[in-house]
Amino acid sequence: GAVVSQHPSWVICKSGTSVKIECRSLDFQATTMFWYRQFPKQSLMLMATSNEGSKATYEQGVEKDKFLINHASLTLSTLTVTSAHPEDSSFYICSARGAGHEAFFGQGTRLTVV
Amino acid sequence: QKEVEQNSGPLSVPEGAIASLNCTYSDRVSQSFFWYRQYSGKSPELIMSIYSNGDKEDGRFTAQLNKASQYVSLLIRDSQPSDSATYLCAVYSGTSYGKLTFGQGTILTVHP
């Protein structure tokens, strides 16, 4: 099956610092990658959609200068949370889609900003 | 009206019973339909895909699609406590940059 690897699984950072999260498709080429955020006991919230080689499309209300997304290759996308604050603490999850319509999720990254 | 709606939960069934999860969608041009399972504290896992009307079976899981009624369901036979999770219905319509639209999820609890 399709494997999407997300790293790190968890991270603790100080307020004001930046954190980078990587998402890799290990056995397929991901033409599209998605980044989600999920707060406890809430639904997935799509943050942005990225296609390889082009700028990400951000959902309404998501600050593109704060959540930097790079999809430089068909197997790697990164999300950088810049100047993180405690309210950015959440579960961040990527998913990737190849030639079909299914999307496969990474393991998620639990970010805690202290 | 929400684009993808799932039956309100939580749903509780006894071990060995059939769990029935329902989902309706509003976009008639929707092409592909998916069920994901999400355990608490984990990311979603794809368990079923269905693209054409009718039933699709995979082990204890059966997905049913009725495009005329804009309805998709997931049946879990012989439910086990390990099936206890949140089940997410997702729809692909080929628009909006190809994103999947998710329902809010239905929490299923299978009690021994």
Side-chain angles (χ1 to χ4, degrees), chain B residues 7-74:
Chain B
N7 51 326
S8 58
L11 177 65
S12 181
V13 301
E15 184 174 356
I18 296 175
S20 178
L21 303 161
N22 304 314
C23 175
T24 57
Y25 59 94
S26 60
D27 189 347
R28 284 198 165 275
V29 301
S30 298
Q31 303 172 27
S32 309
F33 308 86
F34 308 98
W35 284 99
Y36 290 83
R37 176 177 63 198
Q38 185 176 24
Y39 291 114
S40 181
K42 302 293 185 182
S43 64
E45 172 193 11
L46 178 65
I47 55 173
M48 287 291 280
S49 309
I50 187 164
Y51 304 97
S52 54
N53 284 326
D55 295 359
K56 179 182 177 183
E57 188 174 314
D58 183 1
R60 295 186 296 111
F61 299 100
T62 298
Q64 300 174 316
L65 175 62
N66 183 325
K67 289 188 177 181
S69 300
Q70 295 175 239
Y71 175 91
V72 58
S73 67
L74 179 71

Side-chain angles (χ1 to χ4, degrees), chain A residues 9-111:
Chain A
S9 300
W10 58 270
V11 58
I12 301 172
C13 71
K14 291 185 177 180
S15 187
T17 62
S18 295
V19 173
K20 180 184 281 189
I21 302 170
E22 288 190 352
C23 180
R24 293 181 183 273
S25 56
L26 298 186
D27 53 2
F28 68 102
Q29 293 186 323
T31 53
T32 307
M33 285 188 170
F34 307 91
W35 287 95
Y36 297 85
R37 181 166 56 179
Q38 188 174 39
F39 293 106
K41 299 191 185 300
Q42 293 190 22
S43 302
L44 290 172
M45 189 196 83
L46 179 65
M47 300 174 68
T49 302
S50 73
N51 292 292
E52 184 263 340
S54 47
K55 290 184 179 180
T57 301
Y58 289 81
E59 294 297 302
Q60 193 171 12
V62 177
E63 300 174 59
K64 61 182 178 182
D65 293 331
K66 180 169 183 63
F67 298 100
L68 302 178
I69 291 171
N70 184 279
H71 191 167
S73 76
L74 284 172
T75 59
L76 174 64
S77 177
T78 61
L79 167 67
T80 301
V81 183
T82 63
S83 187
H85 290 284
E87 57 266 30
D88 298 322
S89 298
S90 188
F91 190 41
Y92 291 86
I93 318 171
C94 72
S95 74
R97 181 166 66 217
H101 295 165
E102 302 100 331
F104 301 93
F105 285 85
Q107 306 95 312
T109 298
R110 197 160 302 282
L111 170 64

